[in-house]
Amino acid sequence: RPRAYARLRIARNAGWAAGPMLGGFLGAGGFPFLAGGAAVFGLVNLVQCAVLLPETPHRSAAERFRPRDLLATLGDRTFALHCFATLLLFFGFAQIVVTVALDLPARLQIPVETLKWVYTLNGVMVVALQSLVTRAVASFRRSRVLAAGAAVYAAGYLVIGAVPAMD
């Protein structure tokens, strides 16, 4: 299961790498072109999910998912705290993905097009190294590995924020 999850993460990271990279290359066509392309990909995904993904079989009505089941999971305080922390993380992550693309080229006085290569390099490194790192840390406690990963992630954002303006 951990290897399968790692492969799923690699595929997701490849998408995160390819998206900004392609956006950088194709962005010369303007925002409507990119928005139209994103809409087409969204529709392809919709059709793929509707046609190719079968419904999970349930033996009884009691096994079926109900939205109120989500509230029951929040009765576990540790899980609820984790969900809240994850929500905050993704708020920050979504915000920084946009602002980095706008702020860094201005602060470093580099062309916006250069940023596509930074995103590309990041994605290539993640895709190339994730499977190796997953194997290398397999003998460590998962909670420690996750904590170390979160610390590295936070350090990366701190470094981005600490880059001085090139006046």
Side-chain angles (χ1 to χ4, degrees), residues 76-99:
D76 179 342
R77 283 193 161 160
T78 302
F79 183 70
L81 181 62
H82 174 72
C83 287
F84 182 69
T86 301
L87 177 70
L88 293 178
L89 172 70
F90 283 115
F91 279 160
F93 182 71
Q95 177 272 333
I96 204 160
V97 165
V98 173
T99 56

Side-chain angles (χ1 to χ4, degrees), residues 5 20 32 34 43 55 72 106 110 127 154:
Y5 182 72
L34 291 175
L43 289 173
E55 182 62 40
I110 59 173
V127 170

Side-chain angles (χ1 to χ4, degrees), residues 60-141:
S60 70
E63 291 181 349
R64 291 201 174 120
F65 171 78
R66 294 176 307 268
R68 70 174 180 244
D69 294 339
L70 291 174
L71 295 175
T73 62
L74 295 178
D76 179 342
R77 283 193 161 160
T78 302
F79 183 70
L81 181 62
H82 174 72
C83 287
F84 182 69
T86 301
L87 177 70
L88 293 178
L89 172 70
F90 283 115
F91 279 160
F93 182 71
Q95 177 272 333
I96 204 160
V97 165
V98 173
T99 56
V100 163
L102 298 173
D103 178 60
L104 274 185
R107 260 197 296 156
L108 299 178
Q109 297 178 356
I110 59 173
V112 175
E113 293 79 27
T114 302
L115 200 56
K116 70 182 171 221
W117 292 109
V118 173
Y119 282 130
T120 301
L121 177 61
N122 176 68
V124 167
M125 288 173 56
V126 168
V127 170
L129 297 174
Q130 188 158 5
S131 189
L132 295 171
V133 171
T134 300
R135 273 184 261 157
V137 299
S139 63
F140 296 99
R141 280 185 34 199

